[in-house]
């Protein structure tokens, strides 16, 4: 029955074809498909762009074409860079192994010396007690604990440099691109064209939106802190090789303490440790180059500035190629002046490793697309909140759930940080929520990512016009739209106004009010990020608490315009066609069918 329902859902959304036909997909965002077989080489971004223009699905823009050309040149340099990085990581792995072996030899020599000194120590113990008491009275009060271990650690590192040599130097990486411009100018589109074209060229690739990246950083920081707490006791930190050493327990404890100190030195700054796992676990697979595509870089609070600076700087220093998008040039990101010194180092590092590229168009191409390709009788946004619109919304809900062929039930989905979210109504990848349920409670980006990953079609009812009174709900709604758009979900809305009027304010006041904004409280202004952290129990492990959002007025206005622009695009046929190919739900379904075919079970339906 479950298989039948899945097939029914695929048939409804036009994803399954007869054996004689081919899957033909011409959506604007088709370049985002991350499940393309590795044997099929995806065209470069310039070729993709020109093709969409020739098909009439994009309006030619010289600014977009210029950026596509620069991305094409970067793509051409990556193949050689991938080979150079593969060789570098082989040398690095060999060097790391040799250095660790030599380090343990040095540690064993020091341990043997400690063991020999035990005899003399026991004979002179009583005499030394008097001397130690006298020295303790003379000891300076400001001596920092651990200085002896620090000197020992440094001396050992210097010896290793002379024996093994210094760490191999990574080959110079091609300069990435930092693409910035107005809402709807094509930044994300072009970046995703580039990302899809790197399939099979660069081994390690990741694409993150700002919300997803911040959540991943928090999750990994929490995990590292948790591991540190679990390893505090001497017994848990003693590895097998220390326990099996031919020394007495005191010397073993000394060796274990030296090992712990080495780890503490390496983990003193936690962000490099997070950065090393941000794209891939290098310990598991130290081969090839890496690319990070980062959509909508923002610096909305102190945590974002510190985290981005530490992690992106580390990745760039280790040879990662960055292609990023934002609404602002790097130097203009931090208009509130938070953590100026850290931010300036971040900007300088970006300048060393990325070319800044402005898409100078003032046109919102999502609106152009919506006007030129109006939906043929397919309404997805129902307004105002009168009986006629609500009846149409309900009719659409029953129509869609009947077509996917599943029973409507409540369910529970997993969220990051070990949390869960209750879904009141769902059926075969289709879910329904009220605005208050998703945006009127202390939930945030982690919850919205979970919804977007699990459901290809989302119904939201009761969306009000936004005003200053419900500003926190408006921010959550913007984050929700961002994640549904990023995962290419189909969205049906029941709202009090048209899309263009949604953020215009009400009789209670405008949504954007500079005077009110200046006196906005921490409770209202920082709910989204802090709620996610609190629900994830990150703060209990040592993560930053009480993070106060310092989102500037101009930044917030950009977020409103972006949400409107994306809601408009999500109603267009070209976007809706993309749901079948790009949404994770259908990618999983496609993989399931491919696995069936690989098992010599010949289904009657094919893609």
């Amino acid at each position: 029955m479950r298989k039948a329902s899945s097939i029914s859902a695929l048939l409804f959304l036009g994803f399954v074809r007869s054996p004689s036909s081919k899957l033909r997909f011409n959506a604007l965002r088709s370049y985002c498909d991350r499940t393309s077989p590795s044997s099929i080489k995806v065209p470069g971004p310039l070729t993709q762009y020109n093709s969409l223009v020739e098909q009439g699905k994009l309006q030619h823009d010289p600014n977009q074409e210029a950026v596509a050309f620069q991305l094409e040149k970067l793509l051409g340099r990556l193949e050689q860079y991938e080979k150079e990085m593969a060789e570098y990581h082989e040398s690095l792995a060999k060097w790391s192994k040799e250095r660790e072996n030599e380090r343990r030899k040095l540690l064993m020599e020091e341990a043997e010396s400690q063991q020999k000194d035990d005899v003399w120590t026991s004979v002179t113990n009583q005499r030394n007690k008097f001397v130690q008491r006298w020295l303790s009275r003379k000891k300076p009060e400001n001596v920092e604990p651990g200085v002896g271990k620090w000197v020992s650690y440094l001396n050992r590192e210097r010896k290793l440099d002379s024996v093994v040599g210094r760490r191999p130097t990574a080959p110079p990486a091609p300069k990435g691109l930092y693409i910035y411009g107005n809402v709807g100018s094509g930044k994300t589109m072009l970046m995703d064209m580039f990302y899809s074209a790197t399939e099979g060229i660069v081994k390690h690739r990741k694409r993150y939106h700002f919300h997803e990246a911040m959540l991943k950083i928090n999750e990994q920081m929490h995990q590292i802190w948790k591991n540190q707490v679990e390893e505090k006791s001497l017994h848990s930190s003693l590895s097998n090789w220390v326990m099996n050493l031919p020394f007495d327990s005191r010397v073993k404890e000394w060796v274990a303490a030296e090992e712990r100190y080495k780890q503490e030195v390496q983990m003193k700054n936690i962000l490099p440790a997070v950065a090393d796992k941000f794209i891939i676990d290098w310990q598991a697979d130290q081969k090839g180059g890496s690319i990070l595509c980062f959509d909508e870089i923002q610096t909305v609070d102190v945590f974002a500035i510190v985290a981005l600076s530490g992690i992106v700087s580390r990745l760039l220093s280790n040879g990662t190629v960055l292609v990023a998008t934002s609404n602002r040039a790097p130097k203009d990101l931090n208009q509130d002046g938070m953590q100026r010194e850290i931010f300036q180092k971040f900007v300088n590092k970006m300048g060393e490793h990325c070319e800044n590229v402005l898409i100078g168009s003032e046109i919102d191409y999502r609106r152009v697309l919506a006007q030129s390709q109006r939906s043929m009788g397919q309404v997805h946004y129902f307004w105002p909140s009168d009986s006629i619109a609500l009846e149409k919304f309900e009719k659409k809900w029953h129509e869609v759930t009947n077509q996917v062929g599943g029973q409507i039930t409540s369910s529970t989905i997993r969220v990051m940080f070990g949390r869960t979210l209750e879904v009141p109504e769902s059926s075969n990848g289709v879910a329904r929520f009220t605005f208050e349920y998703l945006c009127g409670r202390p939930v945030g980006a982690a919850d919205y990512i979970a919804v977007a990953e699990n459901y290809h079609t989302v119904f939201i009812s009761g969306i009000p016009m936004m005003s200053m009174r419900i500003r926190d709900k408006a921010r959550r709604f913007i984050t929700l739209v961002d994640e549904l758009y990023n995962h290419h979900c189909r969205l049906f809305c029941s709202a009090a106004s048209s899309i263009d009027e949604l953020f215009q304010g009400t009789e209670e006041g405008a949504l954007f009010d500079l005077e009110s904004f200046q006196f906005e409280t921490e409770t209202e202004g920082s709910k989204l990020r802090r709620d996610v952290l609190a629900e994830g129990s990150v703060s209990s492990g040592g993560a930053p608490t009480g993070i106060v959002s310092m989102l500037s007025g101009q930044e917030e206005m950009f977020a409103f315009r972006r949400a409107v622009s994306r809601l408009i695009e999500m109603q267009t046929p070209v976007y809706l066609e993309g749901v079948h190919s790009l949404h994770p739900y259908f990618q999983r379904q496609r993989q399931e069918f491919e696995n069936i075919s690989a098992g010599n079970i010949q289904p009657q339906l094919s893609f």
Side-chain angles (χ1 to χ4, degrees):
M1 181 66 184
R2 186 178 176 183
K3 287 287 182 186
S5 297
S6 298
I7 293 173
S8 176
L10 294 173
L11 283 167
F12 157 60
L13 284 162
F15 193 55
V16 178
R17 299 288 188 268
S18 65
S20 60
S21 67
K22 296 181 179 179
L23 180 66
R24 191 166 75 80
F25 173 59
N26 292 319
L28 176 63
R29 300 180 73 201
S30 60
Y31 40 79
C32 301
D33 189 351
R34 304 179 192 181
T35 62
S36 300
S38 57
S39 59
I40 301 176
K41 187 174 182 180
V42 179
L46 184 60
T47 303
Q48 292 183 52
Y49 178 81
N50 288 333
S51 176
L52 290 170
V53 170
E54 289 172 5
Q55 295 173 45
K57 293 182 176 175
L58 284 182
Q59 178 178 313
H60 178 263
D61 183 292
N63 296 289
Q64 292 180 347
E65 187 178 37
V67 175
F69 177 71
Q70 289 187 267
L71 288 167
E72 188 86 18
K73 288 198 301 182
L74 174 58
L75 185 70
R77 294 195 294 268
L78 289 178
E79 197 161 350
Q80 179 60 34
Y81 179 63
E82 171 71 9
K83 294 177 182 177
E84 293 171 355
M85 284 298 288
E87 295 172 358
Y88 161 72
H89 282 298
E90 287 181 10
S91 301
L92 180 62
K94 183 179 178 181
W95 174 85
S96 299
K97 183 177 180 180
E98 187 177 351
R99 189 178 180 89
E100 179 61 18
N101 290 337
E102 289 297 328
R103 191 188 66 79
R104 289 195 178 185
K105 285 182 183 178
L106 289 176
L107 201 59
M108 291 305 96
E109 291 173 4
E110 295 177 38
E112 288 175 2
S113 177
Q114 291 270 350
Q115 182 82 2
K116 290 176 182 177
D117 289 344
D118 275 354
V119 177
W120 177 248
T121 299
S122 63
V123 172
T124 60
N125 189 42
Q126 293 299 322
R127 185 178 63 184
N128 285 345
K129 282 183 180 179
F130 172 77
V131 176
Q132 287 171 0
R133 282 198 298 271
W134 183 83
L135 289 174
S136 66
R137 289 198 301 271
K138 298 293 184 179
K139 185 177 180 181
E141 295 179 1
N142 296 327
V143 172
E144 182 181 349
V147 168
K149 290 186 182 298
W150 172 240
V151 172
S152 177
Y153 173 80
L154 287 180
N155 287 337
R156 203 173 293 129
E157 291 297 303
R158 290 192 190 100
K159 289 179 183 178
L160 289 171
D161 286 341
S162 63
V163 174
V164 183
R166 291 189 175 276
R167 181 187 180 97
T169 303
K175 271 199 169 186
L177 292 181
Y178 180 98
I179 308 167
Y180 66 102
N182 293 320
V183 168
S185 59
K187 304 181 299 293
T188 299
M189 174 188 73
L190 292 166
M191 183 193 73
D192 284 342
M193 285 178 175
F194 169 80
Y195 181 80
S196 68
T198 60
E199 174 71 31
I201 295 178
V202 178
K203 186 175 181 64
H204 306 303
R205 313 175 308 141
K206 287 290 182 183
R207 182 206 185 277
Y208 290 110
H209 182 268
F210 174 76
H211 300 309
E212 185 182 10
M214 290 297 103
L215 287 166
K216 184 175 178 64
I217 290 169
N218 276 305
E219 184 181 44
Q220 291 191 354
M221 289 175 69
H222 175 55
Q223 187 61 46
I224 291 171
W225 279 313
K226 182 180 177 182
N227 292 342
Q228 285 179 326
V229 170
E230 290 174 350
E231 292 176 0
K232 275 187 177 179
S233 68
L234 173 65
H235 178 74
S236 64
S237 63
L238 284 175
S239 59
N240 290 333
W241 77 273
V242 174
M243 293 294 290
N244 294 327
L245 292 175
F247 304 121
D248 59 34
S249 60
R250 192 191 69 81
V251 176
K252 287 181 181 179
E253 289 179 7
W254 175 84
V255 174
E258 293 294 316
E259 285 289 270
R260 286 200 306 275
Y261 186 76
K262 181 199 74 169
Q263 294 172 1
E264 288 170 6
V265 169
Q266 293 173 345
M267 297 297 293
K268 194 170 185 179
N269 187 349
I270 198 169
L271 291 178
V274 174
D276 289 344
K277 294 180 178 292
F278 198 64
I279 293 182
I280 190 171
D281 186 349
W282 291 110
Q283 293 180 350
D285 191 352
Q286 294 187 347
K287 293 180 181 178
S290 58
I291 287 175
L292 173 61
C293 288
F294 202 143
D295 194 26
E296 300 289 352
I297 283 186
Q298 305 170 46
T299 55
V300 296
D301 53 36
V302 172
F303 176 76
I305 289 177
V306 174
L308 286 176
S309 178
I311 289 174
V312 173
S313 296
R314 170 82 168 197
L315 291 172
L316 293 175
S317 298
N318 287 345
T320 296
V321 177
L322 175 68
V323 174
T325 72
S326 182
N327 62 305
R328 299 187 181 282
K331 64 182 179 62
D332 297 328
L333 282 171
N334 184 21
Q335 296 197 338
D336 292 304
M338 300 174 286
Q339 296 291 327
R340 290 183 185 277
E341 186 176 346
I342 294 175
F343 174 74
Q344 191 56 50
K345 289 180 180 178
F346 171 61
V347 171
N348 293 341
K349 179 65 72 172
M350 292 278 288
E352 293 173 16
H353 294 272
C354 294
E355 299 283 354
N356 293 337
V357 181
L358 169 66
I359 297 187
S361 177
E362 296 293 330
I363 302 171
D364 182 347
Y365 282 102
R366 294 190 182 106
R367 289 184 179 274
V368 173
L369 181 68
Q371 292 169 1
S372 63
Q373 299 185 5
R374 294 194 180 279
S375 179
M376 299 295 184
Q378 296 183 30
V379 179
H380 292 75
Y381 190 93
F382 299 87
W383 69 281
S385 299
D386 57 20
S387 58
I388 297 175
L390 292 176
E391 183 180 349
K392 291 180 179 178
F393 181 78
E394 290 294 329
K395 183 179 179 181
K396 181 59 70 172
W397 162 253
H398 291 296
E399 177 186 320
V400 171
T401 52
N402 286 336
Q403 286 175 315
V404 298
Q407 183 179 359
I408 299 173
T409 60
S410 61
S411 58
T412 302
I413 57 175
R414 288 186 294 179
V415 184
M416 294 175 72
F417 307 113
R419 296 168 51 246
T420 59
L421 177 70
E422 297 297 322
V423 181
E425 296 179 277
S426 66
S427 174
N428 280 339
V430 180
R432 174 170 171 166
F433 306 89
T434 65
F435 173 86
E436 283 297 320
Y437 187 81
L438 286 180
C439 304
R441 304 185 305 132
V443 295
D447 304 87
Y448 304 148
I449 289 171
V451 170
E453 288 179 341
N454 282 278
Y455 301 103
H456 56 75
T457 302
V458 176
F459 283 72
I460 303 175
S461 61
I463 301 173
M465 290 183 69
M466 312 295 171
S467 68
M468 199 69 185
R469 186 176 62 85
I470 61 168
R471 190 184 194 130
D472 56 334
K473 297 179 184 179
R475 285 173 169 166
R476 290 196 184 100
F477 182 67
I478 289 169
T479 304
L480 172 61
V481 170
D482 280 344
E483 293 310 325
L484 295 177
Y485 178 86
N486 290 329
H487 289 80
H488 218 105
C489 295
R490 192 168 61 145
L491 177 63
F492 289 90
C493 298
S494 167
S497 71
S498 68
I499 294 175
D500 278 318
E501 295 175 337
L502 204 55
F503 298 99
Q504 295 300 314
T506 68
E507 293 178 358
E508 299 168 342
L511 176 58
F512 181 72
D513 183 336
L514 276 176
E515 184 176 353
S516 299
F517 183 81
Q518 291 173 357
F519 299 100
E520 188 178 44
T521 64
E522 177 188 343
T523 302
E524 181 181 14
S526 61
K527 270 187 177 179
L528 176 62
R529 178 69 55 75
R530 193 172 66 252
D531 289 341
V532 170
L533 295 180
E535 290 297 324
S537 302
V538 178
S539 57
S540 64
T545 57
I547 295 171
V548 181
S549 174
M550 298 180 70
L551 195 65
S552 70
Q554 289 182 339
E555 196 73 39
E556 187 158 270
M557 287 297 289
F558 177 87
F560 299 157
R561 293 198 304 270
R562 185 181 69 233
V564 168
S565 180
R566 288 181 168 178
L567 281 170
I568 289 172
E569 183 188 342
M570 292 171 81
Q571 315 305 311
T572 62
V574 72
Y575 174 91
L576 295 170
E577 289 176 22
V579 175
H580 316 153
S581 177
L582 305 180
H583 193 275
Y585 181 91
F586 292 110
Q587 293 176 355
R588 292 191 295 268
Q589 291 283 359
R590 177 163 55 194
Q591 187 62 52
E592 202 174 302
F593 275 95
E594 288 175 353
N595 291 340
I596 292 174
S597 299
N600 294 323
I601 301 175
Q602 300 299 326
Q604 295 299 312
L605 300 170
S606 63
F607 295 101

